[in-house]
C-alpha cells in the first residue's frame, strides 16, 4: 500500500520539483535547569536571529517561491489558518547544521480529515529523491514536526535540498482524495566554527547560538523540544513567539499561539 502511495505522489512531486522532534545528542543528555535560576524575568530572555547572507541562499532552480502557501489545490476544506510551513519557507530560513534535521509545518487538519500524508526530500542538484515517508496526522491540529528517519543518509554539507509535504484529504463525495501540498528548502552548513561555544552552552544558550548563526531549523527544533518538555512554562512560550517573530515572516503571524502537537505518526 505504501509503495502505491509513493508511486502516486512521485509523479505529482516530480512535476512540481522541476519548475523537537529529535534533539542533538549533546543536548538531549543534559538536564534542563529551571529558567528562573538563570533569568529573573522574561524581559531578560531574548532571541536574536541573524538571517544568512546571500551566499547561503538555497537556489530554487526555477521552482516558484512557496512561502507557506499551498502549491496545489485540493479537496481539503478551507481553514481560517492555511497549511503553513515553519522551516525552510524562504531563502533566509533554510539553514541547519544537523545531518538529520527536523522539519516543521503548521497543519490545520486532523487524522479524521486527512487520509494520509507523504513527506519527500529531494537533492536540489541531482533532483533525486533522498527519502520519503507516508504518515498519518495526530488527532488535533497544530504545529507538526517531521524528523528525518534515523536510517536516512546524512545531508551533505553545503548541499541544498527541497522538500514536499503533501496531505491527501478524505473524500467529500466519494471521489479520489486530492492532494494539498507545500514545499520548502534546507541547506546544511558546517558547525565547526561555533562547536566550542555549543559544548559549554545551556540548552537555551544553544538556541541563541543557532539563531545568531542563522540556523533557523536548529533554533526552532531545540526550542520546540524544550517547550514540549515543559509545556506549562510561560517563559518558554514567550521565547517561542519571539523566535517566530524574529523570522520576519508575516506568514507565521497567525500561528504564534498555535500548539506544538509533536511528530507525524508513521505506524498506523
Amino acid at each position: 500500500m505504501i509503495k502505491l502511495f509513493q508511486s502516486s505522489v512521485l509523479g505529482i512531486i516530480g512535476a512540481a520539483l522541476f519548475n523537537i522532534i529529535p534533539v542533538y545528542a549533546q543536548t538531549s543528555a543534559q538536564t534542563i535547569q529551571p529558567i528562573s535560576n538563570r533569568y529573573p524575568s522574561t524581559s531578560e530572555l531574548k532571541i536574536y536571529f541573524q538571517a544568512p547572507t546571500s551566499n547561503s541562499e538555497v537556489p530554487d532552480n526555477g521552482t516558484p517561491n512557496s512561502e507557506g502557501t499551498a502549491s496545489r489545490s485540493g479537496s481539503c476544506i478551507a481553514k481560517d489558518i492555511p497549511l503553513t510551513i515553519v522551516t525552510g519557507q524562504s531563502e533566509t530560513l533554510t539553514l541547519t547544521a544537523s545531518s538529520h534535521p527536523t522539519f516543521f509545518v503548521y497543519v490545520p487538519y486532523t487524522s479524521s480529515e486527512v487520509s494520509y500524508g507523504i513527506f519527500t526530500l529531494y537533492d536540489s542538484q541531482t533532483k533525486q529523491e533522498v527519502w520519503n515517508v507516508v504518515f498519518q496526522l495526530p488527532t488535533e491540529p497544530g504545529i507538526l514536526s517531521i524528523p528525518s528517519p534515523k536510517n536516512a543518509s546524512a545531508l551533505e554539507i553545503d548541499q541544498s535540498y527541497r522538500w514536499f509535504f503533501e496531505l491527501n484529504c478524505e473524500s467529500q463525495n466519494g471521489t479520489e482524495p486530492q492532494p494539498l501540498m507545500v514545499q520548502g528548502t534546507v541547506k546544511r552548513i558546517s558547525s565547526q566554527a561555533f562547536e566550542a561555544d555549543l559544548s559549554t552552552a545551556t540548552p537555551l544558550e544553544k538556541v541563541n547560538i543557532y539563531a545568531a548563526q542563522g540556523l533557523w531549523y536548529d533554533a526552532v527544533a531545540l526550542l520546540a523540544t524544550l517547550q514540549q518538555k515543559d509545556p506549562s512554562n510561560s517563559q518558554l512560550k514567550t521565547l517561542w513567539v519571539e523566535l517566530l517573530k524574529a523570522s520576519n515572516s508575516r506568514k507565521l503571524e497567525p500561528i504564534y499561539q498555535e500548539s506544538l502537537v509533536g511528530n507525524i505518526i508513521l505506524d498506523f
Side-chain angles (χ1 to χ4, degrees), residues 103-249:
F103 306 82
F104 288 80
V105 180
Y106 169 75
V107 183
Y109 305 99
T110 68
S111 55
S112 64
E113 299 173 286
V114 174
S115 303
Y116 66 94
I118 301 175
F119 184 96
T120 309
L121 180 71
Y122 282 91
D123 185 311
S124 291
Q125 291 186 349
T126 66
K127 296 182 174 58
Q128 297 297 309
E129 179 183 303
V130 178
W131 57 265
N132 74 59
V133 293
V134 178
F135 63 86
Q136 187 177 44
L137 295 180
T139 57
E140 58 181 307
I143 299 173
L144 193 62
S145 51
I146 305 96
S148 297
K150 294 180 180 179
N151 61 351
S153 299
L155 299 190
E156 297 289 339
I157 292 177
D158 293 328
Q159 177 60 45
S160 303
Y161 299 83
R162 189 167 295 277
W163 54 266
F164 297 82
F165 181 92
E166 178 184 312
L167 299 178
N168 285 270
C169 293
E170 292 285 357
S171 174
Q172 302 299 313
N173 55 12
T175 60
E176 287 294 319
Q178 297 297 312
L180 180 64
M181 186 195 304
V182 289
Q183 58 179 296
T185 51
V186 62
K187 179 178 181 178
R188 183 186 176 193
I189 65 170
S190 172
S191 60
Q192 184 175 0
F194 48 92
E195 280 294 343
D197 293 331
L198 289 173
S199 66
T200 59
T202 66
L204 278 178
E205 288 168 343
K206 288 180 181 180
V207 172
N208 256 324
I209 291 172
Y210 292 140
Q213 295 294 330
L215 298 172
W216 180 250
Y217 276 83
D218 306 337
V220 168
L222 181 50
L223 189 54
T225 298
L226 297 177
Q227 188 179 167
Q228 287 187 298
K229 288 182 177 179
D230 191 5
S232 62
N233 192 312
S234 61
Q235 291 182 316
L236 286 176
K237 291 180 180 179
T238 298
L239 270 183
W240 175 255
V241 173
E242 187 174 315
L243 178 60
L244 294 184
K245 288 181 178 179
S247 70
N248 289 321
S249 171

Side-chain angles (χ1 to χ4, degrees), residues 19-147:
N19 262 314
I20 278 150
I21 305 175
V23 183
Y24 309 111
Q26 70 270 25
T27 301
S28 59
Q30 294 184 14
T31 299
I32 301 174
Q33 299 297 324
I35 295 177
S36 58
N37 290 356
R38 295 183 59 84
Y39 305 95
S41 69
T42 56
S43 63
E44 297 186 28
L45 294 169
K46 299 295 181 183
I47 294 290
Y48 300 97
F49 177 71
Q50 179 61 53
T53 55
S54 59
N55 60 4
S56 296
E57 295 176 3
V58 177
D60 64 14
N61 292 327
T63 306
N65 186 346
S66 59
E67 186 175 350
T69 59
S71 59
R72 290 179 58 87
S73 60
S75 59
C76 300
I77 298 174
K79 301 288 185 176
D80 291 338
I81 304 177
L83 184 65
T84 305
I85 62 175
V86 180
T87 52
Q89 62 169 261
S90 67
E91 61 193 22
T92 60
L93 305 177
T94 63
L95 297 186
T96 182
S98 174
S99 61
H100 293 78
T102 296
F103 306 82
F104 288 80
V105 180
Y106 169 75
V107 183
Y109 305 99
T110 68
S111 55
S112 64
E113 299 173 286
V114 174
S115 303
Y116 66 94
I118 301 175
F119 184 96
T120 309
L121 180 71
Y122 282 91
D123 185 311
S124 291
Q125 291 186 349
T126 66
K127 296 182 174 58
Q128 297 297 309
E129 179 183 303
V130 178
W131 57 265
N132 74 59
V133 293
V134 178
F135 63 86
Q136 187 177 44
L137 295 180
T139 57
E140 58 181 307
I143 299 173
L144 193 62
S145 51
I146 305 96

